[in-house]
Amino acid sequence: MRSYLPSLVIISSLLALVVFGASQLNYTWQWGEIPQYLAENEDGTWYRGALIYGLTETVKISSLSLASALLGGLLLAGGRTHLYWSLRIPSEAFFKMVRNTPLLVQLYVTYFIFGPILDLDRFWVAVLSLSAFHAAYLAPIFQSGLDSIPKGQAEAAQSLGLPKLNTYLEILLPQALRVVLPACTNEAVNLIKNSALLSAIAIFELTTEGKDIVADTFMSFEIWLTVGALYLLITIPLSSTAIYLEKRLKS
Amino acid sequence: MSASQTTTPAIQLENVEKWFGTFHALKNVSLSIPDGQRVVICGPSGSGKSTLIRCMNLLETPQSGSIFANRQQIWPRPQNLSEIRRELGMVFQQFNLFPHLTILQNLTLAPIRVRKATRSEAREEAMAFLQRVKIADQADKYPGELSGGQQQRAAIARSLCMKPKVMLFDEPTSALDPEMIAEVLDVMSSLAQESMTMVCVTHEMGFAREVADRVIFMDQGEIVEDRPPTDFFGNPESPRAKVFLSRILRH
């Protein structure tokens, strides 16, 4: 049995610090106001409160972006190592640009430049920026996964006459995914956290909603603590699932 | 089985040169192997024997010379390389089974994808080959659950599923525990009795003596001796072969 005692001690002292600090600042807690931002009941039907609306928006954008980032990362990794050398130069250039500029700047560039040119609304600007950014980080992860597969695997596939694409999709990739699953989940968590930056282009995701409520009510302590907890609500299960999968795949 | 030999060779190498950086692995090697012949290639490590057999299905690409397999050119590289490769079964020292697929899936993948066999045909054939190498009861296990000898027999069966005209063995027993070598050699001997064209890099001199029509002795990237096994073992011509044999047969 693992002992939970140390973590309990740390968490409760942090809580104590917040409670004590708030009283020093004469902060008036208004936790009673929070539930309306989670869910509202009007005439017997439940509606999503602003924070839960923001959370679903965050989940929606993040999962769409994650799906396309995974696909983009795979293509980039394939482009950089395996498939066709003509893909190598453009993917290398993309890779260098995305990894060496701030995400916030990329977001603005996409929003103010590519958005109008390509006639994208802000939702797709958000998805495009997030997925491009994380594709550039997933690519080397996939690549290291592919590199970890012994050379003999590709040779065996070649000597059976399997075409390149089948070798990649059916032999190398499934084995590589096993290796990179924990790192990918890490990236998924990073992506969800980075989606908070979308508040800069007025996407109504969780952080934007939190900011708006705080601007209206000045309940900064309660709202930001709740927003933090809501992020944890999706990121913690995600990382635990990955740990579980990793263990199961190993056996 | 010399009755099945024809005049056009199954494998033909002409003036093949192979360099690894500054290391001259194959020095102007020419070799012709008729249909149905069983050839054993031996020699000290670093003599180029693995490079030679890996050139036969172009897992190594030479710098110059030409290579024909089953009367088709495979070097200089043709367009339909993978079509030619499927007729050349290859068995590796490290087995190179696909660890994420069951034994049966390992055997059926290439026939289904490459030869366009139906799933049930492929299964049936695969089970017949597994029966032959005496591991039909392991069909639904993963490679990691099998012993080395069983894995190598599965790998041989996997190659046979593609109905190759030539089988290439690259040190098939070198990674095996001594008690498992015999079971793999038995399978190879039974293949030899069916007048399959076989090329085998091995240190198993007993196997060479019993099964081979021809022994090729290599040293320092050159073919030093190329004679029937009785001559080679009874009366090696070159001092290098004498030294090699005295070292190997002493044990």
Side-chain angles (χ1 to χ4, degrees), chain A residues 144-165:
Chain A
S144 70
L146 288 168
D147 290 346
S148 74
I149 310 302
K151 230 177 93 211
Q153 291 289 307
E155 290 180 353
Q158 277 170 23
S159 67
L160 288 167
L162 270 188
K164 250 184 175 178
L165 194 63

Side-chain angles (χ1 to χ4, degrees), chain B:
Chain B
M1 300 287 146
S2 51
S4 64
Q5 288 177 12
T6 58
T7 45
T8 36
I11 301 277
Q12 186 160 16
L13 287 83
E14 282 161 11
N15 309 108
V16 169
E17 297 273 359
K18 173 69 183 174
W19 293 80
F20 292 106
T22 55
F23 179 69
H24 204 174
L26 294 178
K27 296 173 184 161
N28 196 28
V29 171
S30 296
L31 172 67
S32 171
I33 297 172
D35 275 325
Q37 196 169 59
R38 278 88 40 152
V39 179
V40 160
I41 303 174
C42 61
S45 64
S47 59
K49 53 196 193 304
S50 266
T51 308
L52 179 67
I53 200 169
R54 286 165 60 83
C55 279
M56 291 178 188
N57 67 350
L58 214 63
L59 287 180
E60 300 292 350
T61 50
Q63 271 78 26
S64 69
S66 60
I67 304 172
F68 290 81
N70 295 319
R71 285 158 279 279
Q72 285 173 294
Q73 177 185 305
I74 67 166
W75 185 259
R77 187 191 295 268
Q79 283 296 311
N80 59 342
L81 178 61
S82 66
E83 280 170 42
I84 303 169
R85 269 183 174 150
R86 74 176 80 146
E87 312 254 275
L88 299 162
M90 179 94 175
V91 175
F92 300 86
Q93 183 176 353
Q94 300 296 338
F95 329 134
N96 295 345
L97 290 170
F98 307 130
H100 61 301
L101 303 177
T102 64
I103 296 301
L104 190 61
Q105 289 168 336
N106 262 278
L107 268 67
T108 55
L109 178 67
I112 292 171
R113 294 287 182 271
V114 179
R115 260 185 30 225
K116 308 291 175 203
T118 67
R119 207 159 281 273
S120 60
E121 271 168 19
R123 276 182 74 96
E124 216 167 286
E125 287 170 2
M127 286 310 296
F129 280 118
L130 284 177
Q131 206 96 48
R132 256 195 66 177
V133 300
K134 303 194 180 67
I135 46 168
D137 51 333
Q138 313 287 331
D140 295 320
K141 290 192 183 165
Y142 286 89
E145 301 173 83
L146 271 59
S147 73
Q150 291 172 325
Q151 288 190 52
Q152 192 60 299
R153 284 183 280 155
I156 295 173
R158 178 175 68 177
S159 287
L160 292 175
C161 282
M162 287 305 287
K163 309 200 167 141
K165 295 192 178 121
V166 176
M167 283 288 285
L168 309 173
F169 297 85
D170 186 6
E171 303 209 30
T173 56
S174 299
L176 294 175
D177 291 335
E179 74 268 25
M180 292 169 184
I181 291 178
E183 63 191 48
V184 171
L185 291 180
D186 283 348
V187 168
M188 291 166 61
S189 301
S190 83
L191 265 182
Q193 273 151 28
E194 291 170 24
S195 66
M196 166 81 81
T197 310
M198 288 168 72
V199 183
C200 182
V201 173
T202 185
H203 293 295
E204 294 297 328
M205 292 300 125
F207 174 79
R209 218 188 283 261
E210 280 164 37
V211 173
D213 301 310
R214 176 177 175 191
V215 175
I216 290 173
F217 174 73
M218 289 190 75
D219 193 24
Q220 294 174 13
E222 292 168 318
I223 293 179
V224 179
E225 299 215 17
D226 181 354
R227 307 160 68 199
T230 42
D231 296 359
F232 177 72
F233 292 112
N235 181 27
E237 276 169 359
S238 64
R240 285 189 276 184
K242 280 179 190 154
V243 172
F244 174 74
L245 281 176
S246 72
R247 281 195 192 134
I248 276 224
L249 298 178
R250 198 187 302 152
H251 303 292

Side-chain angles (χ1 to χ4, degrees), chain A residues 15-136:
Chain A
L15 272 178
L17 179 72
V18 170
V19 172
F20 177 72
S23 72
Q24 289 296 97
L25 290 169
N26 290 322
Y27 189 88
T28 338
W29 290 102
Q30 292 174 273
W31 282 111
E33 299 295 314
I34 296 302
Q36 60 175 313
Y37 299 114
L38 300 177
E40 286 171 303
N41 192 336
E42 234 171 78
D43 308 328
T45 21
W46 287 97
Y47 295 94
R48 285 182 297 177
L51 287 181
I52 295 299
Y53 172 81
L55 181 69
T56 47
E57 216 45 24
T58 292
V59 169
K60 202 161 84 185
I61 291 177
S62 299
S63 36
L64 260 174
S65 307
L66 182 63
S68 45
L70 287 170
L71 198 70
L74 274 181
L75 289 176
L76 271 176
R80 279 165 60 93
T81 51
H82 284 272
L83 294 177
Y84 309 104
W85 67 266
S86 54
L87 283 176
R88 248 180 247 168
I89 294 163
S91 63
E92 198 67 26
F94 169 81
F95 190 80
K96 283 274 174 329
M97 277 189 320
V98 170
R99 282 178 70 109
N100 291 296
T101 53
L103 175 55
L104 188 58
V105 172
Q106 290 168 30
L107 201 55
Y108 284 140
V109 168
T110 321
Y111 183 59
F112 289 112
I113 301 174
F114 291 116
I117 291 174
L118 300 173
D119 196 22
L120 296 171
D121 70 19
R122 64 178 86 228
F123 178 85
W124 292 109
V125 166
V127 171
L128 186 68
S129 311
L130 272 184
S131 45
F133 183 78
H134 286 279

